[in-house]
Amino acid sequence: MIRLHNVSKTYYLKGHRQGRSGNQGAPPGRDADPRVVEALKNVDLHVPPGQIHGVIGLSGAGKSTLIRCVNLLERPTAGTVTVDGQELTGLANGALNQARHRIGMIFQHFNLLTNRNVFDNVALPLELMGMTRAAIRERVTPLLELVGLADKADQYPARLSGGQKQRVAIARALASRPRVLLCDEATSALDPQTTGSILALLRDINHKLGLTILLITHEMEVVKSICHRVSLISDGELVEEADVGDFFTAPRTRLGRDFLNDFLQLEPPRALIERLEETPGEHTHPVVRLAFSGDAVSTPLISRLARECGVDVSILQAKVESIQERTLGLMIAELIGATSETARAIDYLETHDLHVEVLGHVQRDA
Ligand SMILES: Nc1ncnc2c1ncn2[C@@H]1O[C@H](COP(=O)(O)OP(=O)(O)OP(=O)(O)O)[C@@H](O)[C@H]1O
């Protein structure tokens, strides 16, 4: 439904004269011109119909640029953008405006018109499309019901809460019956409870209307609550992409692990971190992070480790998370035993579908 192929976006800041700096396209490094910002670098992204896809990254990573390239609010410097089978990067302005009717967008700060009431805010895109007042009413009324604001049609934005404003923005984004909804940090200005209700609404819309949703966020809670798939962006590049359950079980990049550890607050105690050594020694035992889902959650693996591998397990931290339909167990533990026994224990865990990450090794008698 959404396909970005080799998309790059470079901003040339004031003072830079394109084509004369001599380092256009130069790899970033000591000679890179600070007036040239490579906000996106060769991004490939595919979001199939009906998927909720989250892009997460730190501030300045390129999230906003990425989502704005999808409806060409920002025109990519290179690469192609295809939405619903139509290559937008190849369209002239008139055709692009038509194509944009199939792409709704919501923003962090809602972007409502303060001098229009709720009904008229939602009606605006339809007015611009030239629809009659009667047809507009027929379209807007059920949308206000869908977002739970049927009784607020005559209110002005100033008298609405943040969550209600975002509901109006969602109804407005849906007015032209888009196939795709882009969400630019849509819950970042909302408190946790309101965030939850807006995410539930987005999930509901995805389900009821089969709408494909691409969202950008810096909040793992958003990814955990509604995304099917997640991409990580760092310094303009997509560095990791995974199903959300797999990402929470075993992120593949350092950035992914940092996001996850920050979110889960599942780190070994500080005193232990200070004693962790990277390589095993003669008298060390491993400290591991275990992630398990499915049947493994309810299997008494820890007692079996003791019985079958002769290894004692000292649990330092543990939690169970629900990632949509999936239950995920996470644990930080020391495996105490002889080197050959702890190695066998790790093998045993891996063959029982646990993801094992060795965080380091500590001296046995320390
Ligand atoms: N219009 C612009 N002109 C010049 N540079 C820009 C422009 N927009 C973004 N940038 C730069 O591009 C890079 C990516 O910015 P972008 O806003 O896409 O990141 P982000 O991940 O959305 O960050 P945040 O979460 O803080 O909004 C940054 O270095 C930013 O300074």
Side-chain angles (χ1 to χ4, degrees):
M1 178 60 67
I2 302 173
R3 200 178 278 276
L4 270 57
H5 179 59
N6 233 348
V7 166
S8 295
K9 174 72 189 181
T10 306
Y11 293 108
Y12 297 97
L13 306 184
K14 228 174 162 184
H16 174 86
R17 279 181 284 171
Q18 272 192 52
R20 297 188 59 185
S21 76
N23 80 331
Q24 242 182 304
R30 274 193 314 165
D31 297 333
D33 186 337
R35 293 163 301 181
V36 178
V37 181
E38 290 185 81
L40 294 179
K41 300 169 197 165
N42 305 317
V43 168
D44 281 314
L45 177 71
H46 177 223
V47 185
Q51 185 177 89
I52 305 182
H53 193 114
V55 176
I56 190 162
L58 298 171
S59 180
K63 303 181 296 293
S64 296
T65 306
L66 172 69
I67 204 159
R68 290 163 66 84
C69 277
V70 175
N71 56 3
L72 265 58
L73 283 180
E74 290 289 355
R75 200 165 261 282
T77 315
T80 57
V81 176
T82 305
V83 176
D84 199 14
Q86 195 167 31
E87 192 198 312
L88 304 187
T89 29
L91 296 178
N93 282 348
L96 178 60
N97 280 338
Q98 281 299 318
R100 280 193 179 127
H101 293 156
R102 294 199 301 277
I103 310 173
M105 188 164 187
I106 57 172
F107 304 87
Q108 180 175 359
H109 296 296
F110 326 122
N111 297 9
L112 301 180
L113 294 180
T114 51
N115 59 348
R116 284 180 160 241
N117 66 21
V118 166
F119 184 98
D120 289 336
N121 262 286
V122 179
L124 183 65
L126 305 176
E127 288 171 20
L128 296 175
M129 286 162 70
M131 279 175 71
T132 65
R133 198 70 192 161
I136 288 175
R137 183 158 293 283
E138 222 168 277
R139 185 80 68 92
V140 173
T141 305
L143 278 174
L144 291 180
E145 273 162 27
L146 179 72
V147 301
L149 289 180
D151 58 338
K152 297 271 187 268
D154 299 325
Q155 294 272 8
Y156 283 81
R159 300 193 52 189
L160 300 178
S161 68
Q164 289 168 334
K165 285 181 193 165
Q166 196 58 291
R167 285 170 187 272
V168 179
I170 291 170
R172 180 182 58 185
L174 297 179
S176 59
R177 296 193 173 146
R179 305 289 313 277
V180 163
L181 181 65
L182 306 177
C183 307
D184 183 350
E185 296 277 9
T187 54
S188 297
L190 304 175
D191 62 61
Q193 204 179 340
T194 313
T195 292
S197 75
I198 293 295
L199 294 178
L201 176 61
L202 291 174
R203 201 184 306 121
D204 192 40
I205 287 167
N206 164 259
H207 194 66
K208 277 192 187 139
L209 310 179
L211 197 69
T212 307
I213 298 180
L214 176 65
L215 61 87
I216 60 163
T217 184
H218 61 275
E219 295 170 305
M220 287 285 280
E221 184 60 41
V222 173
V223 173
K224 180 192 140 180
S225 307
I226 61 164
C227 294
H228 303 122
R229 214 166 157 80
V230 61
S231 294
L232 258 76
I233 187 167
S234 171
D235 198 17
E237 292 179 76
L238 291 190
V239 293
E240 178 166 359
E241 188 188 330
D243 279 346
V244 166
D246 294 340
F247 176 70
F248 276 79
T249 312
R252 295 192 306 274
T253 58
R254 178 66 202 258
L255 178 68
R257 286 193 288 274
D258 286 349
F259 263 111
L260 193 62
N261 288 339
D262 271 4
F263 176 67
L264 297 171
Q265 299 280 303
L266 195 74
E267 293 265 23
R270 181 133 300 282
L272 186 74
I273 292 180
E274 281 161 12
R275 286 170 41 215
L276 275 184
E277 293 165 18
E278 228 172 87
T279 46
E282 216 177 314
H283 301 291
T284 62
H285 56 244
V287 176
V288 292
R289 176 183 179 278
L290 307 176
F292 41 103
S293 59
D295 290 346
V297 175
S298 52
T299 309
L301 284 162
I302 302 302
S303 55
R304 283 194 198 162
L305 277 191
R307 246 190 351 258
E308 298 188 22
C309 308
V311 164
D312 286 327
V313 180
S314 166
I315 297 171
L316 303 171
Q317 280 205 42
K319 60 168 66 170
V320 174
E321 284 279 334
S322 284
I323 314 288
Q324 294 156 37
E325 318 286 89
R326 205 159 148 178
T327 305
L328 183 66
L330 297 146
M331 190 184 289
I332 307 262
E334 289 179 51
L335 302 183
I336 303 165
T339 308
S340 59
E341 288 166 344
T342 57
R344 199 147 60 88
I346 290 173
D347 272 356
Y348 180 87
L349 292 169
E350 284 177 337
T351 54
H352 285 78
D353 288 337
L354 271 80
H355 182 267
V356 184
E357 183 192 347
V358 178
L359 302 175
H361 307 264
V362 283
Q363 290 293 333
R364 270 178 224 164
D365 52 355

